[in-house]
Amino acid sequence: YAMQPINMLSATADIDLGLTLFGLLGLLALLNAIESKQTGWLLLGGLFAGLAASTKYQGALIVAALAFSLLFYSLRRESSTAKWKASGVLAFSLAALFVFFPWPIDNFINTGNPVYPLLNKLFGVGESWEQVVLGSHTTKSWFQDHTFTAFLTLPWKLITGRCDGWVTPLLLLLAPWGVFLKRKHWAFSFLLVFSMLLYTLLFLLPYWIVRFFVPLLPALSLVAAYTWHELGRLDRVLHRTLNLAIILVVLANLGFLFVKNASVLPVALGLEPRENYLSRTLGWYDVNRFVQKNLPSGSKILVYGAQLFYYFDFDYLYNHPLKGESASQTARQLREKGVRYVLLLVDRGGPQDL
């Protein structure tokens, strides 16, 4: 909980912690499957991985990393039978697909795009979400070049807070040393392979935000803990130094988080009105209040310029293209769609500054 992204996500409606939970449960089920050779654990792991993919499209990366880790490990382990190797990956993948598959079907029926709102342009159903994000001046800088140098320096960006948040440095600095350990438990090897695969897949995302990497943290924490344990066995002074570093980092994280969250204390203690707090932190809160106070109830509004439009508490069309050749034709198109108002929102520096 002392990690900044975990603390942040625990107090928001973002679904990354739920995604992380399903990914971790899928990982633990596969570890049990490898140890016990029981197909039931493989199916359970696939079901949890499928729930991760159903929670968020990035969960598909967790499914891929788990499947390839299972394949890689089963091919290398001499005690694995050929039948179990082939059926294990297949059973896991089919179970994950079974849970995930209803959602693309539902998307296709309702929108014409099985991966809505991604790749809308490819399926001819409007503007894609990634185009909307790229069009915002506040998020253009998030898009990254995927070079080998960037692959190596991304951990440093995550540590120093250059990805809209930061990860505790000891985790990313300690875990890579596990590669060089001579004595490796089989479960540690699996966790190490999974962590490297998932890191690589997350690196390939169009842009990097620290919460996207939260599903990597449980496995990476276990890798770092095992590495800390084994390094401590080599030298007592090193062991004490690492212990002291861990304590200092945890205390520093907690202190930083207290300072970071100090602004919410007045409203939590009842010293600041709830409406004031929401108004200064959530731009769409004022938008909703403006519509409710100034427009007739049930008005349908055409909205341009806001990314987080799904927070609006009114009937709207978002960035809908208008093809009228004149003002009268455009007005007629709007009336046919039931639109009486057009709302243009200007992003002045972030979602809280609409």
Side-chain angles (χ1 to χ4, degrees):
Y1 190 75
M3 295 185 193
Q4 185 263 352
I6 306 300
N7 180 278
M8 174 191 70
L9 291 171
S10 68
T12 70
D14 289 312
I15 58 176
D16 300 85
L17 285 183
L19 172 68
T20 302
L21 171 65
F22 291 131
L24 176 59
L25 292 175
L27 174 62
L28 295 177
L30 286 193
L31 291 174
N32 282 332
I34 293 173
E35 187 172 36
S36 65
K37 294 293 188 300
Q38 294 180 6
T39 305
W41 281 111
L42 287 171
L43 295 176
L44 186 61
L47 292 177
F48 282 128
L51 287 172
S54 301
T55 301
K56 192 175 185 178
Y57 285 131
Q58 290 167 9
L61 303 182
I62 297 177
V63 177
L66 287 173
F68 280 104
S69 298
L70 179 62
L71 177 63
F72 175 81
Y73 189 77
S74 61
L75 290 177
R76 290 186 70 249
R77 199 175 188 195
E78 296 178 358
S79 60
S80 298
T81 64
K83 182 179 179 181
W84 195 88
K85 291 176 184 178
S87 63
V89 178
L90 182 62
F92 169 81
S93 302
L94 289 177
L97 186 62
F98 174 78
V99 176
F100 173 69
F101 202 63
W103 294 107
I105 295 176
D106 180 75
N107 283 341
F108 185 77
I109 293 174
N110 289 286
T111 69
N113 176 5
V115 290
Y116 179 86
L118 304 178
L119 306 177
N120 279 345
K121 194 171 184 180
L122 177 65
F123 290 93
V125 294
E127 191 175 22
S128 295
W129 172 86
E130 58 269 24
Q131 293 174 307
V132 174
V133 174
L134 186 57
S136 170
H137 74 277
T138 59
T139 54
K140 274 184 180 178
S141 60
W142 292 356
F143 286 76
Q144 305 290 338
D145 294 325
H146 296 85
T147 62
F148 183 68
T149 301
F151 181 84
L152 297 177
T153 57
L154 176 56
W156 177 249
K157 291 184 177 181
L158 293 171
I159 290 173
T160 55
R162 295 168 62 186
C163 296
D164 196 37
W166 50 275
V167 177
T168 180
L170 273 182
L171 193 62
L172 294 178
L173 294 176
L174 192 59
W177 290 100
V179 177
F180 304 102
L181 294 178
K182 293 183 179 180
R183 193 185 72 163
K184 297 185 180 72
H185 190 275
W186 67 266
F188 173 80
S189 299
F190 186 92
L191 290 168
L192 192 60
V193 171
F194 170 75
S195 299
M196 294 172 65
L197 284 173
L198 185 56
Y199 171 81
T200 302
L201 292 173
L202 293 171
F203 166 79
L204 295 176
L205 291 173
Y207 60 93
W208 308 320
I209 300 178
V210 71
R211 63 184 174 88
F212 292 173
F213 292 83
V214 167
L216 176 63
L217 297 183
L220 205 61
S221 298
L222 294 173
V223 169
Y226 185 86
T227 303
W228 159 79
H229 179 267
E230 291 301 308
L231 290 177
R233 290 164 57 93
L234 299 177
D235 185 85
R236 181 173 297 180
V237 175
L238 177 61
H239 183 65
R240 291 177 178 175
T241 303
L242 290 174
N243 289 344
L244 179 61
I246 291 171
I247 294 173
L248 292 176
V249 168
V250 170
L251 292 177
N253 285 350
L254 292 174
F256 179 84
L257 291 173
F258 178 81
V259 174
K260 186 77 173 178
N261 296 322
S263 62
V264 307
L265 290 178
V267 68
L269 298 174
L271 303 177
E272 179 184 10
R274 175 177 179 271
E275 290 74 17
N276 288 3
Y277 173 77
L278 294 173
S279 178
R280 69 180 173 84
T281 56
L282 303 176
W284 52 84
Y285 182 78
D286 283 341
V287 174
N288 285 332
R289 286 204 302 179
F290 174 84
V291 171
Q292 292 169 1
K293 290 183 178 180
N294 296 280
L295 302 183
S297 176
S299 298
K300 192 171 186 178
I301 303 172
L302 176 60
V303 179
Y304 285 103
Q307 290 182 48
L308 303 179
F309 51 88
Y310 39 79
Y311 286 107
F312 294 152
D313 190 22
F314 50 81
D315 191 11
Y316 65 88
L317 288 177
Y318 176 70
N319 277 13
H320 190 79
L322 298 174
K323 300 180 180 179
E325 297 180 359
S326 64
S328 60
Q329 288 182 354
T330 300
R332 185 170 63 253
Q333 288 181 17
L334 290 174
R335 285 195 297 270
E336 290 173 353
K337 296 181 180 298
V339 174
R340 298 292 301 276
Y341 301 93
V342 177
L343 180 62
L344 177 62
L345 298 171
V346 179
D347 188 344
R348 297 177 299 177
Q352 71 279 9
D353 295 319
L354 295 177

